[in-house]
Amino acid sequence: MKIMMISLGCDKNRVDSESMLGLAVTGGHGLTDDENEADAIIINTCCFIHDAKEESINSILECAELKKTGHLKKLIVTGCLAQRYADDITKEIPEVDAILGTTAYDELLDVLDDTGLSVRMKDISAPLHLKVNRVITGENYVSYLKIAEGCDKHCTYCVIPSVRGNFRSFPMEDLVSEAKYLAENGTRELVLVAQETTVYGTDLYGEKSLHLLIRKLAEIPELKWIRLMYCYPEEIYPELIETMAECEKVVHYLDIPVQHSSDTVLKRMGRRTTRKEILGKIKALRKRIPDIALRTSLIVGFPGETEEDVEDLLDFIKEAKFTRLGCFTYSREEGTPAAKMADQIKAAEKRKRRSKVMKLAGEISKENGKNMCGKTLPVIIEGYLADEDIYVGRTYMDAPGVDGMIFVFSDENLLSGDIIDVLVTGAKKYDLYGEATVNESAE
């Protein structure tokens, strides 16, 4: 069969999608990105917030039409929405042929052969790490390495533990083997992801082991950059900071989703930290790694959030001066404790509060950009804009898909995946401009 994958949601989902495609290939199936050629379409869904849920449902409905009008034989739904709403999907969308829960991906080949409706569900905390050669989607010079599944935090606004299960690390030797395969197939930048990366190894090895994994990954010659995402601030530990400072391949960038600064809001969110502790961790990171770029994500409009809490958050942002910042309005998700809380905030007010946060974040980003002018930074090239005769890339301060870009003038021909030195010559709110200096991308 010719199989098409539609991968929605986060980069962790993307890893799952690539693994399922790898499994399909081992089963003798072909791949296509043309829905009109596909014999089977797999939709790997997301349901983290309302917008993601809506996007997933719309994608399923659009593909369901192909069952009526095209030659599509199989429509398979996987991922978080499939796990959470399997009964609703089977009832409301009869065109769906198979549903795979978040720990049932290994049964993909079976459902491709099944006739009639097939729903495969397993214990959501069951171990699952498909040991197949992933089919790399998108550019091969940057890849994601999913180092664990599930989460034990149980924040009051989040559905992840109910659809992904308890936190469980993947064995270090398996991850190193997977990273070697990715590197041999062109990966220069490896981005480590999980629901929370900082507690990697606690279940398998009895202690936090992310720093040990990083050191093993750094031994892979083809890898040039290693980037860490989803590091909860309260779990960042001294050995990890020291490894980041010492290991040249680890870019000085850390994604620390703090969600809020007000202690009262953090407590209602079920977060396990305080404003003072977060600022203390930021101070420790910057003391040991002065040029570190810190990214965070915030939620405004959480039930019971007051105007004073918003002012606290704005003051916190001014003090923390994050290099990169994203802000979401609270999404009321059924089945979560927060959904039942009193003092739910109206959508218009949530949007107003988000605008305040992003306005301030933009001002800080613009100031940070100006401070970069005159400095030489390592940049990974991502493409070329022929109309403007300029290359597009990312500095070490920018994670793929979520942060800013740098536009690079170069007299030399550059390739996507090249890592070069760039002199920063100008800045906008979120993006930089620069001139290529020395090409350091030689193999």
Side-chain angles (χ1 to χ4, degrees), residues 406-422:
I406 182 167
F407 298 91
V408 181
F409 295 96
S410 175
D411 292 331
E412 297 182 29
N413 290 325
L414 303 176
L415 299 175
S416 294
D418 283 349
I419 298 176
I420 64 170
D421 282 342
V422 175

Side-chain angles (χ1 to χ4, degrees), residues 174-425:
D174 291 350
L175 294 173
V176 172
S177 176
E178 186 176 351
K180 285 180 178 177
Y181 168 78
L182 295 170
E184 289 166 0
N185 284 274
T187 295
R188 310 294 298 283
E189 177 181 4
L190 191 68
V191 186
L192 273 54
V193 296
Q195 300 302 333
E196 181 188 356
T197 55
T198 27
V199 292
Y200 172 79
T202 51
D203 54 327
L204 286 182
Y205 310 115
E207 60 182 1
K208 293 179 182 177
S209 305
L210 181 58
H211 64 295
L212 300 176
L213 173 62
I214 289 169
R215 291 187 183 276
K216 287 184 178 294
L217 295 173
E219 295 174 2
I220 301 173
E222 297 91 345
L223 293 181
K224 304 302 178 185
W225 283 7
I226 298 172
R227 187 181 299 275
L228 306 181
M229 304 291 287
Y230 309 112
C231 297
Y232 280 41
E234 68 269 23
E235 300 290 358
I236 296 169
Y237 56 105
E239 293 89 347
L240 177 61
I241 297 175
E242 197 60 31
T243 297
M244 290 188 68
E246 293 177 356
C247 186
E248 291 183 0
K249 290 189 177 183
V250 181
V251 294
H252 290 174
Y253 173 104
L254 204 61
D255 169 49
I256 50 173
V258 302
Q259 310 302 7
H260 214 284
S261 64
S262 165
D263 287 347
T264 57
V265 176
L266 287 169
K267 187 174 181 179
R268 285 199 301 276
M269 285 180 166
R271 304 290 288 185
R272 305 181 185 188
T273 189
T274 64
R275 186 185 206 275
K276 182 178 179 181
E277 289 170 349
I278 295 169
L279 288 172
K281 199 59 62 80
I282 290 172
K283 183 178 179 181
L285 285 162
R286 286 178 171 155
K287 181 178 180 180
R288 183 65 182 93
I289 313 171
D291 65 340
I292 193 167
L294 296 177
R295 180 181 215 285
T296 198
S297 56
L298 304 170
I299 297 173
V300 292
F302 192 78
E305 181 189 60
T306 64
E307 290 290 350
E308 289 75 18
D309 292 327
V310 177
E311 288 303 314
D312 181 279
L313 182 58
L314 294 172
D315 289 341
F316 169 78
I317 293 169
K318 291 175 185 175
E319 185 172 356
K321 290 188 179 298
F322 292 100
T323 316
R324 302 286 182 254
L325 185 152
C327 183
F328 302 89
T329 56
Y330 165 71
S331 178
R332 189 177 188 177
E333 296 302 316
E334 61 180 325
T336 62
K340 301 175 184 177
M341 289 182 180
D343 301 319
Q344 297 284 332
I345 295 169
K346 292 182 179 179
E349 179 60 28
K350 288 190 280 190
R351 291 193 296 268
K352 179 181 175 183
R353 293 178 183 186
R354 180 184 182 277
S355 294
K356 285 184 179 180
V357 168
M358 292 311 298
K359 182 176 184 294
L360 176 59
E363 292 169 358
I364 293 172
S365 179
K366 189 173 182 180
E367 179 185 341
N368 288 338
K370 287 181 179 179
N371 291 337
M372 288 296 110
C373 291
K375 295 184 178 181
T376 299
L377 303 175
V379 168
I380 187 165
I381 297 300
E382 293 206 315
Y384 174 67
L385 302 178
D387 292 344
E388 301 178 44
D389 190 24
I390 196 170
Y391 291 90
V392 183
R394 289 181 289 105
T395 72
Y396 77 91
M397 301 182 294
D398 301 293
V402 293
D403 294 325
M405 308 294 294
I406 182 167
F407 298 91
V408 181
F409 295 96
S410 175
D411 292 331
E412 297 182 29
N413 290 325
L414 303 176
L415 299 175
S416 294
D418 283 349
I419 298 176
I420 64 170
D421 282 342
V422 175
L423 173 65
V424 180
T425 57

